[in-house]
Every structure is written in C-alpha cells, then in structure tokens.
Amino acid sequence: MRWITCAVNGGTLTRADTPHLSITPAEIATDALAAAEAGAAVVHVHVRDPATGLGAHDIALYVEVADRIRACNAEVIIHFTGGGGGTLPLGLQDPVIAAGDAAAILSAERRLAHLAPAGADMTGLDCGSFSWGDGGLVFLSPTDMLYRAAALLGPMGVRPELTVFDLGQMALAARMMADAAVPERTPVCIGFGVLWCAPARPKALEAMLDLMPPGTDWTASSKGDAGHRALAPLIVAAGGGLRTGIEDHHLWHGEPVTNAWLVTEAARMIATTGSNPASAKEVRAHLGL
C-alpha cells in the first residue's frame, strides 16, 4: 500500500524562507487539514513557539494541534516528530560541548513524552546519528536509545515509522525489523538529499531498496526542490509512496508553494501509474492504527 505523507512545517524553516510556514497551533492545524483535504493520509508535524517561531518541545502545543485537527478530521493520521532534544552543537576548542547544550539533549522517554498526551498515531524513529550540515551540529540517535524508544512506543499505542537518511541507517532499520523490535507492518520513510547523507540520485534509491526488507511499506522524499522533482517519479515507479511538504521542499521551480499544492502534485504523480494514493482510513486499517 502506498500513501502520501505531508511534512507540514519542520523545525528549522522561517517565514523568510516561505510565507506559507505555519507557526501557531491554529495555523499548523489549518495547514494540516488542508493537506489532508488534498489527499495526504498522514500529516507529519513539529510545533513552534508562537512568540518566536522557533522549534519547540512543548507538550501543551502538541496537544492543542492534535485537538484542533481531530475536531475537524478524525481520520487523518497524526504523525508527530520524535526527534526533539537530539541535536548537539560541538565546538572546535575545549570545552567541545557546552554545559547548556549537553543539558538540552533528552533521553528517549523525554523525547517521546508529548506523544501519549496528544494522542499521536505515529512518530518517526531516526535510525542512526549523523552530522547535520557544514558546522558542528550532530543529531544523536544511538542504537541503544533507538531500541529503547521503540520499546516505549508499544505501551503508548503509537506506531513507529523508521526514518533513514543513509545506507547504514537502512541496514539498522532492517535489523530492528528482524529483531521484532518494532511491530509488523512498520513502515520506512527514506529521506534523500540531507547534507552528508544519501544524495537524491537514482543509484542511491536502488541501493536503499536493495537493503530494505521485501514487502515493507515505504515512502520517500528529498530535501530541496530540484532533488524532489528529479527523484519523485522514480520513487512512484518503484512502488513507493511520497512524502512531500514544506519541511522538505518549500519551493517548486524556485517559487514558494503551499502544502496543499504539494500534496495535490504528489497525488497527480501517483495517478500517472494508474492508481490512487491510499486514504487515511485505508492506511489506518492496513497498519492497525
């Protein structure tokens, strides 16, 4: 089964990047609902501090976003980020890690603490640590923490999605499936075009699919306008679903576009194969949500 996931807003873009960025809970919910109306079965959401617009990890904001979405659409699958509290800046001189930065790194329990109160349906588990950009940022997701996070999600009733950005991460995702560390039918989301991870190239897609266990449900996307437009037709031709949205590629041919527009384009692309993306109700039944 394949579906469309809309990555609504992310945690790093600003209104200077795109005027369509949603920041407040009301804006985020409205944007997510428009994406669902356009054909997204899953909406992937970060929350922002309404005062500053910066990424936040506030449980009350997640609860408000979920309540606003569910008041209008009880079917769309709410997929909240599980990656907050994992980005660590490293300096080039001692102390390499500032005390305040170290204190901001959260345990698996605290990274996922917002999911149950907000009634999230799904979250992403990033399958490995990696360098983030050209500076000193490192995203931390070590193997033991990843397995711990997967174990925590079961009692919460939240379905994981294994997120992979490089080949080693796909190998780790496959091992988690083989170990039954995640439920059957746990989907995989492949992200291309993240700096220093798998590039948005056909051979990279082939290699990812070669490592992915047969029969796995999967979606894929690429950071950046050009990368996504180049790879999306190949993803669809290979049988995958599409992740799209402002978080991943807020431009189309260099022009800012809305999430609803991107979802409509993704649905049009899937329709070229003679099929339609699955509805939220169909995905819920398929995944047992």
Side-chain angles (χ1 to χ4, degrees):
M1 177 176 287
R2 63 174 158 196
W3 58 85
I4 297 171
T5 294
C6 181
V8 173
N9 60 345
T12 59
L13 289 173
T14 70
R15 287 266 171 84
D17 298 307
T18 171
H20 303 300
L21 180 68
S22 54
I23 292 174
T24 69
E27 292 170 347
I28 295 168
T30 297
D31 209 4
L33 289 165
E37 183 67 23
V42 180
V43 288
H44 169 68
V45 172
H46 294 240
V47 296
R48 304 291 191 108
D49 182 328
T52 66
L54 299 177
H57 197 67
D58 186 328
I59 292 175
L61 294 175
Y62 282 105
V63 170
E64 183 177 351
V65 169
D67 286 349
R68 287 177 176 273
I69 291 173
R70 296 223 186 281
C72 299
N73 186 331
E75 290 290 349
V76 67
I77 295 165
I78 299 177
H79 183 303
F80 282 142
T81 182
T87 303
L88 180 66
L90 300 180
L92 297 178
Q93 297 178 340
D94 291 329
V96 174
I97 302 174
D101 293 330
I105 300 300
L106 303 181
S107 65
E109 285 83 355
R110 291 179 65 197
R111 291 190 195 190
L112 305 179
H114 58 293
L115 299 176
D121 297 300
M122 296 180 71
T123 193
L125 296 181
D126 296 294
C127 293
S129 305
F130 55 93
S131 295
W132 183 260
D134 275 328
L137 292 179
V138 177
F139 180 76
L140 299 176
S141 185
T143 305
D144 57 353
M145 180 176 283
L146 187 61
Y147 273 73
R148 173 63 176 160
L152 291 169
L153 292 178
M156 294 182 191
V158 178
R159 176 61 60 94
E161 179 180 59
L162 299 178
T163 307
V164 301
F165 299 104
D166 216 340
L167 290 177
Q169 295 178 20
M170 180 63 86
L172 178 51
R175 196 183 87 174
M176 292 187 75
M177 293 182 190
D179 290 345
V182 292
E184 292 184 12
R185 293 186 178 171
T186 291
V188 167
C189 179
I190 310 172
F192 294 95
V194 174
L195 191 61
W196 314 132
C197 294
R201 302 183 64 173
K203 291 294 185 182
L205 174 60
E206 291 178 19
M208 286 284 196
L209 297 183
D210 184 58
L211 286 175
M212 190 168 65
T216 301
D217 294 309
W218 62 284
T219 58
S221 180
S222 176
K223 290 290 186 183
D225 173 15
H228 181 73
R229 286 188 285 108
L231 212 55
L234 304 180
I235 293 166
V236 170
L242 287 174
R243 170 170 147 156
T244 190
I246 283 174
E247 177 179 351
D248 293 343
H249 34 265
H250 59 285
L251 305 176
W252 195 264
H253 290 284
E255 295 297 322
V257 288
T258 65
N259 279 310
W261 192 96
L262 288 167
V263 171
T264 299
E265 174 60 22
R268 182 201 64 77
M269 198 171 294
I270 291 174
T272 64
T273 67
S275 63
N276 293 312
S279 68
K281 184 176 182 179
E282 291 169 331
V283 177
R284 279 186 178 280
H286 179 68
L287 297 180
L289 298 177

